């Protein structure tokens, strides 16, 4: 798939979408970022990587590159779909009918459907080796630009309440706490108790 919308500064570019041959790279970025959260559900091995590579939708992805190397990924969700919409389709193929069903049921409990005047962030991932280089900030800027192009009034994301570093970045970029979600019994599956919803008005 062709990509467009390059935005470059200090060797960093952010482009819309990713090529088919980059699916494995995107899966690795996603699993590195969310492995602690999803590892008990999807595993961390080859099957999880194949599942993610098949599931992630490039039409709802922004990719940050440093000197041409893809090191960051931001997904978004709107009325047209989302980065992880392929999960429901691919779960039975990779985990079997029953395994796909119960995993899909658990993941559905985390799904957020925002009103159409908001762009929902469907995950932000930056390679550990590239953290602190400005890729996260550039991805947040690109998400705001994407929201503006789509006529949205705000960008909304969720962050684990104990992820102080990520919350500090979001606050510096203009996000403010707009709600909290308690996972209840699902905390035993995902390994955290609650998430904070943050919003950036445009």
């Amino acid at each position: 798939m062709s990509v467009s919308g390059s935005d470059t500064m200090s060797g960093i570019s952010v482009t819309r979408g990713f090529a088919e041959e980059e699916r494995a790279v995107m899966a690795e970025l996603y699993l590195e970022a969310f492995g602690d959260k999803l590892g008990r559900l999807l595993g961390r091995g080859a099957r999880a990587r194949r599942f993610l590579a098949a599931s992630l939708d490039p039409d709802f992805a922004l990719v940050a590159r440093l000197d041409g190397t893809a090191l960051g990924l931001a997904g978004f969700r709107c009325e047209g779909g989302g980065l992880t919409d392929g999960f429901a389709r691919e779960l039975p193929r990779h985990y079997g009918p029953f395994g796909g069903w119960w995993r899909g049921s658990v993941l559905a409990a985390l799904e957020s459907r925002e009103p159409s005047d908001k762009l929902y962030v469907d995950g932000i991932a930056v390679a550990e080796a590239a953290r602190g280089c400005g890729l996260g900030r550039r991805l947040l800027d690109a998400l705001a630009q994407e929201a503006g192009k789509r006529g949205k009034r705000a960008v909304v994301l969720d962050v684990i309440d104990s992820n102080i570093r990520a919350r500090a970045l979001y606050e510096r970029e203009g996000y403010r706490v707009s709600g909290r979600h308690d996972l209840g019994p699902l905390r035993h599956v995902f390994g955290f108790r609650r998430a904070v919803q943050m919003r950036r008005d445009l």
Side-chain angles (χ1 to χ4, degrees), residues 2 48 70 78 95 97 114 124 180 201:
S2 63
C78 58
Y95 293 92
E114 292 296 323
I124 298 179
R180 288 177 170 81
D201 291 313

Side-chain angles (χ1 to χ4, degrees), residues 72 86 117 135 163:
D117 65 343
L135 275 73
N163 193 342

